Amino acid sequence: MTTTTTRPTTTRPMTTTRPTTARSAAVLAPSARAAAGVAPTVPGRTTAPAPAFRGLAYDAFDALATAEFWAAVLRAEVAPGGSALHAELLDGSATGLPRLVFRQVTEGRELRTPVHLQLTTGDLDGEVRRLQALGARRLGGLTDGGRRSVTLADPEGNAFDLVAA
């Protein structure tokens, strides 16, 4: 089931000589508020506690198979009770891993998120070979300022980077 959240928007007449887009209107909104005498808002400054980063939720067609792949990649373990619907890696806080939760999606994933995992290794070539043996597919490589990285895809086609330490 896909849930779409929309925000109500308001439009105000703006005097400008060039066409405005939603993005340019959002950029101009603070100055428009200042001109109207409204106090500026500061994102993130409230009296409520800030949300804490808990981990990453990972959409998968087969949650358990995907969790098993990532457990092998990260040399972690899948928590007991995993299924094709939902699986998690064991708490990785002692090893520095964020909480990784895998949940089944039944609809196609037409829009991919550009966010993906970035892993580092002291043996880039050897680790690429190991991950390919686990089912990863090489998408490309890059050398930037002497630092090498390889972009791979997991068995479900989700990209991640492996960067030489």
Side-chain angles (χ1 to χ4, degrees), residues 57-67 81-88 101-106 156:
Y58 201 105
D59 291 345
F61 295 113
D62 183 333
L64 184 57
T66 305
S83 71
L85 298 175
H86 179 90
E88 298 183 26
V101 175
F102 302 86
R103 59 189 180 197
Q104 184 182 61
V105 293
T106 56
E156 291 204 355

Side-chain angles (χ1 to χ4, degrees), residues 55-76:
L56 299 170
Y58 201 105
D59 291 345
F61 295 113
D62 183 333
L64 184 57
T66 305
E68 288 170 343
F69 170 82
W70 282 104
V73 168
L74 299 170
R75 293 183 170 94

Side-chain angles (χ1 to χ4, degrees), residues 16-165:
T16 181
T17 57
R18 65 176 192 238
T20 59
T21 63
R23 183 175 179 164
S24 64
V27 171
L28 296 175
S31 61
R33 282 194 302 270
V38 176
T41 58
V42 179
R45 289 200 183 169
T46 67
T47 57
F53 178 75
R54 173 124 168 101
L56 299 170
Y58 201 105
D59 291 345
F61 295 113
D62 183 333
L64 184 57
T66 305
E68 288 170 343
F69 170 82
W70 282 104
V73 168
L74 299 170
R75 293 183 170 94
E77 292 181 42
V78 176
S83 71
L85 298 175
H86 179 90
E88 298 183 26
L89 296 189
L90 287 175
D91 181 8
S93 58
T95 60
L97 285 176
R99 179 175 182 249
L100 291 175
V101 175
F102 302 86
R103 59 189 180 197
Q104 184 182 61
V105 293
T106 56
E107 300 171 6
R109 294 177 292 184
E110 294 177 26
L111 298 176
R112 296 243 185 228
T113 177
V115 177
H116 54 266
L117 297 179
Q118 188 174 55
L119 311 172
T120 58
T121 181
D123 179 12
L124 184 64
D125 297 326
E127 194 64 7
V128 167
R129 285 190 299 275
R130 184 180 83 84
L131 298 182
Q132 286 176 315
L134 292 172
R137 183 172 41 96
R138 186 181 177 130
L139 299 178
L142 177 67
T143 301
D144 184 18
R147 187 168 202 161
R148 294 177 49 220
S149 68
V150 174
T151 300
L152 301 156
D154 70 13
E156 291 204 355
N158 300 296
F160 63 98
D161 292 329
L162 189 59
V163 181

